[in-house]
Structure formats: C-alpha cells, structure tokens
C-alpha cells in the first residue's frame, strides 16, 4: 500500500492551475525527486503532501499512523533558542504526552496514555535529541542566531529526523550547504529507511539520491524511473513524441478548418459527427498548455581591458577573533588572466570571500604583493541578495529612471529585457518582494548582465534557479570572453563552466588546480595519494546539459475558394456502396483505439516504466490520425453530391 496518494488533485492560484487533476503515489522506501521550472508549484505540491495545504479538488490520502517530517526551503526558528531546544521542537507532541502523564490530570486514561508514549519511545526523548545532535555534529547549547545558513539547515534536518518519520519532505535542502555537507546529506538520505521526497536543483545530488524523478510541467506530473540522468534521457524522448503528436493534431485541425469553410450538409449524420469532431479538436488545442519559454541571457561586455587581471605573490591575510589570530590566507600565489573561469571551493567560513577581495584589490594583504590589471569592470552577484530593494518595482530595480537599457550596441525597452528573463510585462510594476526565491535570483542576474563588465563575480548563483535556467547560465558563462570568479557547491555547474579551481586545504592553505571538480579530485589523488574530502560518488554519472525542446507550429493553410456551383451527383458502384456503409464502423473503431492510447499515455508514467511501448503507442497514435483523416475524406468523397 502506498504511503501517500494524490487522486485527481487540482490546485490553482489565480487563473493558472499549478496542479491540474494529477495523480501521484509514494511507495515505501522510494526516494523521489521533484523538478520543474520556478513558479510551477513544486513547493505547493510538497506542502500538500505535508498536509500544510489543501487541494481545491481531489483527494490526498495518507497511511494510518504515518509520520511525515517537512523541512522548508527557509526553515523558521526562534533565534533566541538553543540548538537543543530547536531540535526538541520535532518532538513537541511526544513531550506534551509525557507532561500530561506526569500531571495526572483528572479524567486521563493513564494506561492508554502510557501505551501511546511507549509506542513513540517517548520516555527517551531527551536521549534521542542528544543522539541526533551528536550524529549531525551540532552544538546543543549554541544559540540559533549565531549559526551560519548551513548549520541552520542541519538544525532543521535534525528537528525532522528526531521524530523518526516514515517520510522526509525536503524543499531545496542543499541550499547554503558546502560540498562536505552535501555529501553528508546524500549519505544520510541513502541510508534513511523511510521514503524521501526532495525538491532540488542540484543535478549531481539528485543523481546520487533519487530512485524516481517526478517533473511538474504545465500543471501535470510526469514520472520517470531512475535518477536524474535517466530522467534527462527519457524526457527528451517524451518531448520528441509530444512534438510529433501535437504537430499531427495541428495538421488535422488545419485540414478540418479548411473543410468546414467549404460548407457542409449539416443534416447528414456523418457530416454532423465531423463538425462535432472539429469542435473537440478546437477545444483540445485551446486547452493545450504550451511549454514555458526559456530565459534569454546576454552579458553587457565592458572594455576588454588588458590581458592581466591579477597577479598574487606570497599573499597572506589574518584576522583577530576572540583574542586569537586566525590565518585565512597563507602565502598564496596565483596569476589570473583575461578569459579565465575560476571556481572557488571550500567549506562555509573558510575565507572564499576574503580571497576574492584580495584578488580584486578590495582588501589589502598583511604580507605579499598583489598586482592588478588595468580597466577592470567588475559585476557582483550576491548570494544573500543584499542588493535587492524589496520595495522597488522590477522595472525600477533593473533600470532606475529610464525605460531603456543599453546592451552593447543594442538598445532595448526594460519590459522587453525583463521578458528575456521570463517576467511578463504585466509584472514590470510589481514590487520585488512579491517574487519567489528563484525569481529573485533571476532578477539579480538580469541586473548583473545589464551592467558593463569584463569581470563577473558570482557567489552561489545556482540557489533556487530551475535546472533549465541553470543550463542556460552555464552556457552563457562558458561563452563569456571576460573573467569569471564562481563560488559554488554545485559540482556539475562548476565542471561545465570553470577552467581552474582554487581549493581550500586547511589552515589558510589554498591551492589552484586545472579544470573543474572532477579534475581536482583526480589531480588530488595523484598529488596526495588519496581522494579529497569532497569526492563525487562513483555511482553518480555525469550528464551533458539537455538541449531545449524546440516548439513546432503548423500554419493553417489558406482558405480555398468555395465553389459557386455543385456538380450533379454520380451514382455509386456496388463496391463503393459497400465501402461507404463500412466507413462509419471503421471510423468508430479508430476513434476508440485512439482514446485508449490517450488514456495509456495521459499521466506520462509509461515513458518511465516502459519507454519502448510508450514510443510505439505514440507512433500508432499518429498512424490512427492519418487513417482517420483518410477515412473521413473518403466518406465525404463517396457521400457528397459530386460523389
């Protein structure tokens, strides 16, 4: 029996259906990844599973006694609490039961209460919290307000795990985690005995963790067996089949539109049936929700500048903290040239930002020398989004005081430019605070690329971005002829963009390696005789970015002139008469088979479980369309006055 089931569920905000009569079942032991474009409703789907939202229509069923734990994208805490108190919040129900038992309130059935507490292992709740804190390496007496974003995410996971749930529901759990923490989380989920549902943009993480991918696309759920790499392959096959089916449906509709303009004898039974079929085709075309467009990004390249960006020789930097001297950078040397794409890798708090400021001349070293190039124009992307003015409109944030933006030699209207980043003209006057996390990141990228720059500094740009936008950003940065400094914990993103990596190796030591994360791992093994801490899992296959699906549209043919007069009816031969009598039955049979195929392919699950059969059915669907068209045309030819 499934742990959770959605049956014919619908959920809408405004006029757009986020979930359009969808079905989903979560089985015991599954690790399900949810992917989709920003704003499609992934978080709403997760909140439905968690019981925090209710559908507009349909039914959400959960197994009796099921314990589900939900970890939000931005976990909420009382910042004055200690870590121990925050994690104990995951056992609030158990603690209340224990308190009721100890108070011996009048009318309380102590035997029943005792049984319920023991079933939940409630008397050991403090020990369970301590065990969980130890397992996750969290300081129990530390205050929440003194923790980094990565540690707060660990606290939220500890709060969920301490309740010993059957189902973990995680919304973007890798945000703010460094590579070491992401590896730790992947291992935890692989060993977790219950089921997991996770929303993530980290393709390497999804490859290592998931057993099934569910894509939310235009209000529908498409299920694919396997990890993210398998999903990419199967999705390409589904989109190709969908394009073929849609193109044939458009062609049939166009032909039928031509037929209806010729004029028909509506009193005839088959002509009336054909008119009804045309009306159904029109309705299907109106209801088809086209794929969301892809963002278009272009960097406003500044002055090319000189070949040298920065040269560091024996640079060191120290800070005083709590009366102790901390070395953040110790005798680091490097040369950065125009066109270099450099990734910075290290745990949170290692000093990546400090090293960047030393390279760009924003911070003076305590020792060593830094020589900077000439005419550097630097543009920053800040992961904390401190550049955002939440009260400004999108239009004013991108281009204050002007309706136009100059991108290189091209002048474009700000509404058109926002459209390149998937913001409709109607939203141009909306406040920034109305945007989701992913949309705010897209807006920051839009502002970043609208400024002239020959050096881009991007601090965790991948947080909250959907996978298709990630792949586009990868290509843009790879093609950028300036210099890129990229701080990220997304292995695949780094592998696809950078030409070298600067890696933190402890105690202020930084070392530069050629290539991306995979190259760093291989070089580290050769150099040190062992793999570094952040080694990608051996079973995580790399996958090249999938190309965007190209939409296809079939133009309606021109309306032919209507004949002024009709020729006299020709008498049918015996064979033609028998053929005419058999055509209605053939048309009904073909339409019934087509409906059966539509039902089999409706939820997309067949593409994941049996892609060969799905492809065969889709091909047969096209054959039936052609046969139906031929049968209808033949019936009309035999039954029309011109026979």
């Amino acid at each position: 029996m499934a742990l959770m089931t959605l049956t014919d569920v619908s959920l809408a905000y405004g006029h757009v259906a986020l979930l359009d009569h969808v079905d989903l079942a979560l089985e015991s032991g599954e690790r399900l990844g949810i992917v989709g474009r920003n704003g499609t409703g992934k978080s709403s789907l997760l909140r439905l599973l968690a019981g925090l939202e209710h559908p507009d229509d349909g039914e959400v069923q959960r197994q009796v006694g099921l314990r589900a734990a939900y970890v939000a994208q931005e976990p909420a805490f009382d910042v004055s609490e200690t870590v121990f108190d925050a994690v104990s919040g995951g056992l609030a129900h158990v603690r209340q039961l224990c308190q009721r038992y100890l108070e011996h309130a009048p009318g309380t059935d102590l035997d029943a209460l005792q049984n319920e507490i023991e079933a939940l292992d409630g008397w050991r709740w403090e020990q369970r919290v301590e065990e969980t804190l130890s397992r996750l390496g969290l300081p129990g007496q530390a205050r929440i307000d003194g923790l980094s974003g990565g540690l707060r995410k660990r606290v939220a996971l500890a709060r969920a795990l301490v309740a010993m749930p059957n189902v973990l529901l995680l919304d973007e759990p890798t945000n703010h985690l460094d590579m070491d923490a992401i590896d730790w989380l992947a291992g935890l989920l692989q060993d977790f005995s219950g089921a997991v549902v996770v929303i993530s943009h980290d393709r390497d993480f999804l490859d290592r963790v998931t057993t099934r991918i569910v894509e939310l696309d235009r209000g529908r759920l498409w299920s694919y067996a396997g990890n993210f790499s398998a999903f990419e392959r199967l999705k390409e096959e589904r989109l190709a089949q969908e394009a073929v089916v849609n193109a044939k449906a458009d062609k049939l509709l166009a032909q039928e539109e031509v037929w209806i303009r010729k004029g028909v004898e509506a009193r005839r039974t088959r002509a009336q049936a054909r008119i009804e079929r045309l009306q159904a085709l029109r309705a299907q075309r109106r209801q088809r929700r086209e794929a969301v467009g892809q963002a278009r990004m272009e960097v406003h390249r500044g002055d090319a500048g000189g070949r040298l960006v920065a040269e560091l020789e024996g640079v060191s930097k120290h800070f005083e903290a709590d009366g102790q001297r901390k070395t953040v950078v110790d005798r680091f040397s490097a040369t950065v040239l125009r066109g270099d794409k450099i990734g910075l890798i290290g745990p949170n708090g290692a000093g990546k930002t400090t090293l960047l400021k030393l390279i760009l001349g924003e911070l003076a070293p305590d020792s060593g020398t830094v020589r900077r190039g000439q005419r550097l124009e630097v543009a920053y992307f800040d992961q904390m989004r401190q550049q955002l003015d939440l009260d400004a409109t999108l239009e004013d944030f991108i281009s204050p005081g002007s309706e136009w933006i100059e991108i290189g030699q091209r002048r474009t209207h700000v509404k058109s430019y926002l459209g390149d980043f998937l913001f409709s003209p109607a939203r141009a006057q909306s406040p920034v605070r109305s945007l989701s996390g992913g949309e705010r990141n897209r807006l920051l990228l839009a502002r970043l690329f609208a400024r002239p720059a020959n050096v881009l500094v991007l601090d965790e740009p991948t947080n909250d971005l959907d996978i298709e936008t990630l792949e586009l950003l990868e290509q843009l940065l790879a093609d950028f002829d300036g210099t890129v400094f990229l701080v990220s914990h997304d292995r695949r993103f780094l592998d696809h963009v950078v030409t070298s990596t600067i890696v933190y190796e402890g105690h202020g030591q930084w070392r530069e390696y050629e290539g991306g994360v995979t190259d760093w791992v291989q070089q580290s093994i050769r150099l040190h005789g062992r793999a570094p801490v952040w080694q990608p899992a051996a079973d995580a296959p790399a996958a090249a970015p999938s190309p965007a699906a190209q939409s296809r549209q079939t133009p309606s043919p021109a309306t032919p002139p209507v004949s002024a007069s009709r020729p006299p009816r020709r008498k049918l031969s015996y064979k033609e008469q028998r053929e005419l009598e058999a055509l209605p039955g053939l048309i009904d049979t073909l339409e019934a088979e087509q409906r059966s195929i539509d039902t089999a392919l409706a939820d997309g699950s067949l593409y994941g479980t049996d892609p060969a059969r799905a492809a065969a059915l889709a091909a047969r669907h096209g054959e039936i369309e052609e046969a139906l068209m031929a049968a209808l045309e033949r019936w009309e030819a035999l039954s029309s006055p011109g026979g």
Side-chain angles (χ1 to χ4, degrees):
M1 178 181 175
L3 299 177
M4 293 181 172
T5 306
L6 304 185
T7 305
D8 199 30
V9 164
S10 295
L11 180 68
Y13 289 101
H15 66 284
V16 177
L18 297 179
L19 301 174
D20 191 2
H21 300 282
V22 301
D23 299 313
L24 179 67
L26 176 67
E27 303 293 339
S28 179
E30 270 199 304
R31 296 195 298 272
L32 190 152
I34 300 177
V35 300
R37 299 296 297 268
N38 290 335
T40 55
K42 300 187 297 297
S43 293
S44 296
L45 172 59
L46 201 66
R47 289 174 62 82
L48 274 178
L49 293 173
L52 301 175
E53 284 197 33
H54 301 285
D56 299 330
D57 196 11
E59 188 177 12
V60 181
Q61 293 179 315
R62 297 175 184 84
Q63 203 176 82
V64 176
L66 183 73
R67 295 189 303 275
Y70 169 73
V71 179
Q73 188 171 339
E74 297 294 340
F77 295 104
D78 179 348
V79 295
S80 65
E81 286 186 320
T82 65
V83 170
F84 183 92
D85 292 336
V87 173
S88 300
L91 292 171
H93 174 64
V94 173
R95 293 165 62 190
Q96 288 171 2
L97 293 177
C98 294
Q99 187 65 31
R100 282 175 54 200
Y101 186 91
L102 295 173
E103 289 173 352
H104 299 288
T108 302
D109 186 341
L110 292 181
D111 287 337
L113 195 54
Q114 169 79 5
N115 291 336
E116 187 176 359
I117 292 171
E118 289 180 353
L120 296 171
D121 192 22
W123 297 120
R124 292 180 60 254
W125 73 265
E126 289 180 286
Q127 184 179 346
R128 282 164 57 183
V129 172
E130 293 288 359
E131 289 172 352
T132 304
L133 292 176
S134 175
R135 181 183 175 195
L136 272 62
L138 290 169
Q141 298 310 309
R143 284 168 53 99
I144 296 294
D145 58 3
L147 301 183
S148 66
L151 281 177
R152 290 192 188 196
K153 185 72 72 151
R154 285 197 186 213
V155 172
L157 288 165
R159 185 169 60 183
L161 290 170
V162 75
M164 296 190 299
N166 309 111
V167 179
L168 268 178
L169 305 170
L170 308 177
D171 193 350
E172 296 285 5
T174 63
N175 280 2
H176 310 301
L177 295 186
D178 56 35
M179 285 188 182
D180 193 18
I182 291 172
D183 276 345
W184 160 83
L185 178 59
L188 184 148
L189 297 183
Q190 287 165 348
D191 295 338
F192 182 63
S193 59
V196 176
V197 182
V198 56
I199 297 172
S200 181
H201 65 269
D202 189 320
R203 294 157 291 180
D204 182 80
F205 178 76
L206 289 172
D207 256 341
R208 298 156 68 190
V209 168
T210 57
T211 58
R212 178 160 65 111
I213 296 291
V214 170
E215 182 185 26
L216 178 53
D217 180 23
R218 290 164 280 171
R220 300 178 65 186
L221 295 179
W222 302 89
S223 180
Y224 303 84
N227 62 8
F228 186 79
S229 293
F231 153 74
E232 286 188 302
R233 184 181 67 256
L234 293 170
K235 181 185 176 182
E236 285 300 312
E237 295 175 4
R238 178 180 71 79
L239 290 179
Q241 295 292 347
E242 184 179 290
V244 170
V245 170
N246 288 344
K248 288 184 177 179
D250 290 344
K251 180 180 179 182
L252 176 61
L253 176 59
Q255 291 170 334
E256 293 296 270
E257 293 287 4
V258 171
W259 170 78
I260 197 69
R261 292 189 191 108
K262 291 180 180 178
V264 296
E265 295 183 50
R267 65 180 180 276
R268 295 179 176 225
T269 303
R270 295 311 302 178
Q272 186 60 40
R274 190 169 179 182
I275 291 172
E276 292 171 358
R277 177 176 173 77
L278 171 60
Q279 291 171 343
L281 285 170
R282 288 172 174 170
Q284 290 171 10
R285 185 63 183 84
R286 284 194 301 272
Q287 291 172 4
R288 190 195 307 163
R289 290 173 64 180
E290 301 292 356
V292 179
Q294 189 179 47
R296 295 184 295 275
M297 300 181 187
E298 178 184 355
V299 179
H300 186 174
R301 294 171 174 81
D303 189 326
R307 177 166 171 74
L308 178 70
V309 174
E311 185 178 47
L312 290 77
E313 187 66 39
V315 168
S316 296
K317 188 66 183 178
H318 315 280
F319 291 103
E320 295 290 332
D322 299 326
Q324 295 184 340
R325 189 169 185 256
K326 180 183 178 182
T327 301
V328 179
V329 180
D330 186 16
R331 293 167 294 174
F332 176 70
S333 300
T335 301
V336 181
L337 302 177
R338 186 179 73 242
D340 286 349
K341 313 290 194 303
I342 299 174
L344 279 82
I345 300 177
N348 293 331
K352 298 185 291 292
T353 301
T354 299
L355 180 58
L356 269 175
K357 289 181 176 180
L358 288 168
I359 294 172
L360 297 172
E362 297 178 6
L363 194 63
D366 294 333
S367 61
T369 59
V370 179
R371 185 163 67 96
R372 297 181 69 226
Q374 301 298 313
R375 303 193 306 278
L376 298 184
E377 298 178 84
V378 183
Y380 288 89
F381 179 93
D382 173 23
Q383 69 156 322
M384 302 310 293
R385 303 176 185 147
Q386 292 176 353
Q387 302 166 5
L388 286 173
D389 180 354
L390 298 181
D391 295 319
T393 65
L394 273 63
E395 188 172 289
D396 286 340
F397 181 74
I398 294 297
S399 183
S402 174
E403 295 183 353
W404 299 91
I405 295 175
E406 302 285 344
I407 307 290
Q409 303 300 314
R410 181 169 61 90
R411 189 168 186 256
T412 184
H413 195 277
V414 65
K415 284 187 172 66
S416 176
Y417 182 71
L418 284 168
D420 289 345
F421 290 80
L422 303 182
F423 296 108
S424 67
R427 300 188 68 186
Q429 294 301 317
S430 300
V432 172
R433 68 173 65 254
S434 68
L435 303 181
S436 68
E439 288 173 327
R440 292 183 185 187
N441 267 16
R442 269 211 318 271
L443 186 69
L444 277 174
L445 289 172
R447 174 164 156 150
L448 177 78
F449 296 152
R451 306 292 188 268
N454 51 31
V455 176
L456 296 179
V457 180
L458 296 100
D459 189 356
E460 290 291 354
T462 65
N463 284 351
D464 303 320
L465 289 183
D466 59 63
I467 290 169
E468 290 184 28
T469 305
L470 265 181
E471 291 174 350
L472 182 66
L473 180 59
E474 284 174 357
Q475 190 61 51
L476 180 81
L477 295 178
D479 293 342
F480 179 54
D481 57 12
T483 304
V484 176
F485 293 99
L486 179 59
V487 178
S488 179
H489 302 300
D490 188 322
R491 289 181 180 85
R492 193 172 298 189
F493 188 76
L494 286 164
D495 274 344
H496 289 170
V497 172
V498 303
T499 57
S500 66
T501 52
I502 298 176
V503 181
Y504 179 74
E505 298 192 332
H507 309 291
Q509 296 294 315
W510 297 83
R511 183 188 293 271
E512 186 172 9
Y513 294 85
E514 292 299 317
V517 177
T518 303
D519 300 302
W520 158 51
V521 171
Q522 294 171 350
Q523 292 174 67
S524 185
I525 292 172
R526 290 196 299 268
L527 187 64
H528 303 294
R530 57 177 175 79
V533 174
W534 301 316
Q535 182 178 4
D539 59 349
S546 58
Q550 299 297 316
S551 60
R552 296 175 58 186
Q553 293 184 333
T554 305
S556 298
T559 305
V562 179
S563 175
S565 61
R566 299 186 182 186
R569 180 177 178 84
R570 176 179 65 82
K571 184 175 180 177
L572 300 178
S573 67
Y574 176 80
K575 183 177 180 181
E576 288 172 330
Q577 186 63 43
R578 300 285 76 75
E579 183 184 0
L580 178 60
E581 292 170 359
L583 279 171
L586 173 62
I587 291 170
D588 289 342
T589 300
L590 289 171
E591 288 178 335
E593 185 182 357
Q594 193 175 56
R595 285 193 297 272
S596 174
I597 292 175
D598 287 337
T599 301
L601 298 178
D603 65 355
S605 61
L606 192 62
Y607 286 96
T609 57
D610 192 349
R613 181 165 179 260
L617 286 178
R620 176 58 183 159
H621 192 285
E623 294 171 359
I624 292 172
E625 286 287 5
E626 294 176 359
L628 267 174
M629 196 66 236
L632 286 167
E633 290 177 349
R634 183 59 175 161
W635 175 85
E636 184 179 0
L638 293 174
S639 60
S640 64

